[in-house]
Amino acid sequence: MPEETAVDTRPTKIMYVAEATAHGGRDGYVTSQDGQIELKVAMPPALGGDGNGTNPEQLFAAGYSACFHNALILVGNREGYDLTGSTVAAKVGIGPNQHRGYGLAVALSVSLPILDAGLAAKLVEAAHEVCPYSNATRGNIDVTILLG
């Protein structure tokens, strides 16, 4: 059986750099360098907090869903398909791992209401190869993609 070769997904050129700073960890606030983000963060009740703020998992879910949806639109447009009404929702789970740390798992729910299932699956697969979040997480966390 041939050995599988890992694909290098690192950028060849940095086109944009986002900057954010955390103040106080999970019970503080986060800001972005450009002032667009200034959010209170708090531990969710499921992890023993009061839930009086957003949390890193929600921010990751928002970023991944937006990024994946953009990749989907990109590959759809390249192929000449109309993705009107499409959406991508992300669920990000956190829990202990086997190494005394914590790990993440992601479930992406993709809706492509005006495309047939076979074509939708093809575009989702292509988007998963294009999306920087997918490339960053591949082999590191479980990512499940559901078509609905």
Side-chain angles (χ1 to χ4, degrees):
M1 181 177 249
E3 189 173 310
E4 190 173 316
T5 306
V7 175
D8 186 354
T9 60
R10 293 175 296 178
T12 57
K13 175 183 175 185
I14 300 297
M15 297 169 56
Y16 169 73
V17 175
E19 294 181 47
T21 303
H23 310 264
R26 285 181 170 267
D27 285 311
Y29 63 100
V30 292
T31 59
S32 63
Q33 171 273 334
D34 64 1
Q36 293 295 313
I37 295 175
E38 190 169 324
L39 298 171
K40 179 175 177 21
V41 290
M43 291 283 274
L47 298 179
D50 63 13
N52 190 19
T54 190
N55 60 67
E57 292 71 38
Q58 288 174 324
L59 296 171
F60 188 74
Y64 201 161
S65 63
C67 189
F68 194 89
H69 195 207
N70 198 70
L72 189 61
I73 291 167
L74 175 74
V75 299
N77 287 342
R78 283 181 182 168
E79 298 290 324
Y81 295 108
D82 178 8
L83 299 187
T84 299
S86 64
T87 60
V88 175
K91 292 181 180 180
V92 175
I94 185 172
N97 63 24
Q98 296 179 16
H99 305 286
R100 299 173 47 105
Y102 292 85
L104 299 174
V106 174
L108 298 175
S109 296
V110 179
S111 174
L112 293 163
I114 64 173
L115 299 179
D116 69 64
L119 178 57
K122 176 184 162 195
L123 293 178
V124 165
E125 186 177 314
H128 196 40
E129 296 301 315
V130 169
C131 177
Y133 277 62
S134 291
N135 287 327
T137 60
R138 188 171 289 110
N140 298 311
I141 67 174
D142 289 334
V143 177
T144 304
I145 301 176
L146 308 166
L147 274 170

